[in-house]
Amino acid sequence: MVFIKKVEVRGFKSLGPKAITLNFEKGFTVITGPNGSGKSNVMDAILFCLGENSPRKLRVDRLSSAIYDGGLEASK
């Protein structure tokens, strides 16, 4: 059975410029956290890497919005 072992994300949506690494084990995996912590963005990053290119399915207005633009850090 094929499964995702590890996800490394940097510069995707609100996850920011710092690299985030998530390691997964075989079996059932649950991603939990408070509202606004990036759970859905992790799933969107996985979908994007698997070839999803519909902005609507990635919950952005256009694909270029999926790239982290600096947010508050860019104005410093």
Side-chain angles (χ1 to χ4, degrees):
M1 181 163 97
V2 176
F3 73 99
I4 297 172
K5 289 183 177 183
K6 180 165 101 174
V7 173
E8 292 183 28
V9 182
R10 179 184 357 211
F12 188 80
K13 294 177 78 169
S14 68
L15 297 175
K18 184 177 176 186
I20 296 170
T21 302
L22 300 169
N23 294 301
F24 298 110
E25 301 292 330
K26 273 189 173 180
F28 187 73
T29 299
V30 177
I31 299 174
T32 64
N35 292 345
S37 63
K39 302 177 299 290
S40 295
N41 288 343
V42 168
M43 297 308 299
D44 289 345
I46 293 170
L47 283 173
F48 183 75
C49 289
L50 292 175
E52 181 59 63
N53 61 5
S54 166
R56 184 174 181 192
K57 289 186 180 177
L58 295 174
R59 301 174 309 113
V60 292
D61 55 347
R62 57 189 187 279
L63 281 179
S64 61
S65 297
I67 306 302
Y68 180 73
D69 67 359
L72 295 174
E73 293 179 17
S75 62
K76 291 182 180 179

